[in-house]
Amino acid sequence: MANNGNNYCFACGKKNPIGLHLNFEFVDDVLTAKKTLTKEYQGFDNIAHGGIVATLLDEAMGNYIIQKYNEQAVTGRIAVRYHHPTPIDEELTITSKPESQRRNIISMTSKITAADGTVTAEATAKFVVVSLK
Protein backbone atom coordinates (compact mmCIF):
# COMPACT_ATOMS: atom_id res chain seq x y z
CA MET A 1 0.00 0.00 0.00
CA ALA A 2 1.11 3.55 -0.65
CA ASN A 3 2.38 5.21 2.49
CA ASN A 4 0.86 8.31 4.07
CA GLY A 5 3.61 10.48 2.59
CA ASN A 6 2.02 10.00 -0.83
CA ASN A 7 -1.28 11.73 -0.02
CA TYR A 8 -0.43 14.55 -2.45
CA CYS A 9 0.75 12.35 -5.30
CA PHE A 10 -0.83 13.82 -8.45
CA ALA A 11 -1.94 10.40 -9.67
CA CYS A 12 -3.02 8.53 -6.53
CA GLY A 13 -3.00 11.06 -3.69
CA LYS A 14 -6.35 11.37 -1.97
CA LYS A 15 -5.61 14.87 -0.60
CA ASN A 16 -4.48 16.45 -3.89
CA PRO A 17 -7.42 18.63 -4.95
CA ILE A 18 -6.41 18.60 -8.63
CA GLY A 19 -5.14 15.01 -8.73
CA LEU A 20 -6.43 11.97 -10.56
CA HIS A 21 -7.30 10.11 -7.31
CA LEU A 22 -6.58 6.71 -8.84
CA ASN A 23 -7.60 3.70 -6.76
CA PHE A 24 -5.91 0.42 -7.70
CA GLU A 25 -6.77 -3.15 -6.79
CA PHE A 26 -5.49 -6.55 -7.84
CA VAL A 27 -7.52 -8.72 -10.18
CA ASP A 28 -5.60 -11.99 -10.21
CA ASP A 29 -1.99 -10.80 -10.59
CA VAL A 30 -2.84 -7.66 -12.60
CA LEU A 31 -3.17 -4.28 -10.90
CA THR A 32 -6.29 -2.53 -12.15
CA ALA A 33 -7.94 0.88 -11.81
CA LYS A 34 -11.06 2.35 -13.35
CA LYS A 35 -11.08 6.06 -14.21
CA THR A 36 -13.29 8.43 -16.13
CA LEU A 37 -11.32 11.51 -17.15
CA THR A 38 -13.14 14.83 -17.26
CA LYS A 39 -12.55 17.74 -19.63
CA GLU A 40 -9.97 19.19 -17.24
CA TYR A 41 -7.60 16.46 -18.48
CA GLN A 42 -8.17 16.81 -22.21
CA GLY A 43 -5.88 17.94 -25.00
CA PHE A 44 -8.04 18.16 -28.11
CA ASP A 45 -11.82 18.12 -27.66
CA ASN A 46 -12.98 14.88 -26.04
CA ILE A 47 -9.48 13.34 -26.11
CA ALA A 48 -7.24 12.93 -23.07
CA HIS A 49 -3.97 14.87 -23.11
CA GLY A 50 -1.05 12.60 -24.00
CA GLY A 51 0.83 13.57 -20.86
CA ILE A 52 -2.13 12.51 -18.71
CA VAL A 53 -2.31 9.21 -20.61
CA ALA A 54 1.41 8.64 -19.92
CA THR A 55 0.84 9.51 -16.26
CA LEU A 56 -1.93 6.90 -15.96
CA LEU A 57 0.32 4.23 -17.44
CA ASP A 58 3.35 5.21 -15.35
CA GLU A 59 1.35 5.32 -12.12
CA ALA A 60 -0.16 1.89 -12.73
CA MET A 61 3.29 0.35 -13.08
CA GLY A 62 4.82 2.17 -10.11
CA ASN A 63 1.83 1.40 -7.92
CA TYR A 64 2.12 -2.30 -8.77
CA ILE A 65 5.63 -2.31 -7.32
CA ILE A 66 4.51 -0.52 -4.15
CA GLN A 67 1.57 -2.83 -3.55
CA LYS A 68 3.00 -6.20 -4.66
CA TYR A 69 6.62 -5.90 -3.51
CA ASN A 70 6.20 -3.29 -0.76
CA GLU A 71 9.04 -1.36 -2.40
CA GLN A 72 9.31 2.18 -3.67
CA ALA A 73 10.66 2.62 -7.17
CA VAL A 74 11.27 5.46 -9.60
CA THR A 75 10.80 5.36 -13.33
CA GLY A 76 14.16 4.87 -15.02
CA ARG A 77 12.82 4.69 -18.56
CA ILE A 78 9.35 4.64 -20.06
CA ALA A 79 8.14 4.13 -23.63
CA VAL A 80 4.52 4.92 -24.45
CA ARG A 81 2.75 3.74 -27.57
CA TYR A 82 -0.42 5.67 -28.40
CA HIS A 83 -2.69 3.43 -30.50
CA HIS A 84 -5.94 5.41 -30.49
CA PRO A 85 -7.18 8.62 -28.86
CA THR A 86 -8.06 8.04 -25.20
CA PRO A 87 -11.60 9.34 -24.69
CA ILE A 88 -12.84 11.85 -22.14
CA ASP A 89 -16.05 11.16 -20.15
CA GLU A 90 -15.83 7.41 -20.68
CA GLU A 91 -14.74 4.78 -18.17
CA LEU A 92 -11.19 3.61 -18.79
CA THR A 93 -9.47 0.55 -17.38
CA ILE A 94 -5.78 0.94 -16.55
CA THR A 95 -3.81 -2.25 -15.90
CA SER A 96 -0.21 -3.15 -15.15
CA LYS A 97 1.89 -6.23 -14.59
CA PRO A 98 5.59 -7.10 -14.29
CA GLU A 99 7.63 -8.60 -17.09
CA SER A 100 10.91 -9.36 -15.33
CA GLN A 101 13.24 -8.36 -12.52
CA ARG A 102 17.00 -8.18 -12.40
CA ARG A 103 18.53 -7.02 -9.14
CA ASN A 104 16.87 -3.67 -8.35
CA ILE A 105 15.46 -3.13 -11.87
CA ILE A 106 11.86 -4.20 -12.49
CA SER A 107 10.52 -4.23 -16.07
CA MET A 108 6.80 -3.48 -16.24
CA THR A 109 4.01 -3.15 -18.79
CA SER A 110 0.72 -1.28 -18.63
CA LYS A 111 -2.21 -0.45 -20.86
CA ILE A 112 -5.37 1.64 -21.04
CA THR A 113 -8.54 0.11 -22.41
CA ALA A 114 -11.62 2.13 -23.35
CA ALA A 115 -15.15 0.99 -22.48
CA ASP A 116 -15.60 -0.56 -25.93
CA GLY A 117 -12.51 -2.76 -25.45
CA THR A 118 -10.15 -0.65 -27.58
CA VAL A 119 -6.62 -0.49 -26.21
CA THR A 120 -5.81 3.21 -26.53
CA ALA A 121 -2.26 3.20 -25.18
CA GLU A 122 0.41 0.86 -23.83
CA ALA A 123 3.69 1.39 -22.05
CA THR A 124 6.78 -0.49 -21.08
CA ALA A 125 9.09 0.80 -18.39
CA LYS A 126 12.07 -0.02 -16.25
CA PHE A 127 11.74 0.94 -12.61
CA VAL A 128 14.63 1.28 -10.19
CA VAL A 129 13.86 0.15 -6.65
CA VAL A 130 15.15 2.82 -4.28
CA SER A 131 15.49 3.17 -0.55
CA LEU A 132 14.11 6.51 0.56
CA LYS A 133 15.19 6.04 4.20
Side-chain angles (χ1 to χ4, degrees):
M1 298 294 266
N3 68 35
N4 291 335
N6 295 327
N7 283 330
Y8 281 91
C9 170
F10 175 73
C12 67
K14 303 303 180 211
K15 291 186 177 181
N16 187 328
I18 63 167
L20 293 168
H21 303 162
L22 295 173
N23 186 26
F24 291 96
E25 62 182 41
F26 278 97
V27 177
D28 297 320
D29 202 34
V30 176
L31 193 66
T32 302
K34 303 281 187 179
K35 180 67 181 176
T36 300
L37 295 172
T38 58
K39 66 182 178 180
E40 289 79 12
Y41 301 108
Q42 77 179 25
F44 291 115
D45 285 345
N46 301 312
I47 298 172
H49 188 281
I52 296 298
V53 171
T55 299
L56 294 171
L57 295 164
D58 182 61
E59 183 65 18
M61 294 183 285
N63 213 283
Y64 186 103
I65 294 166
I66 291 169
Q67 290 195 38
K68 189 70 170 186
Y69 304 122
N70 198 29
E71 296 281 1
Q72 292 189 326
V74 295
T75 309
R77 176 181 298 165
I78 185 170
V80 178
R81 174 75 191 248
Y82 299 91
H83 299 291
H84 299 281
T86 299
I88 294 291
D89 293 326
E90 181 178 312
E91 186 176 72
L92 306 170
T93 302
I94 306 104
T95 59
S96 67
K97 62 183 180 177
E99 289 292 304
S100 63
Q101 182 172 1
R102 186 171 176 181
R103 295 189 207 123
N104 68 327
I105 307 293
I106 302 173
S107 297
M108 300 287 302
T109 63
S110 61
K111 69 180 177 180
I112 297 174
T113 306
D116 68 0
T118 301
V119 174
T120 65
E122 295 180 286
T124 58
K126 293 193 184 294
F127 282 80
V128 181
V129 176
V130 295
S131 173
L132 300 178
K133 297 175 185 174

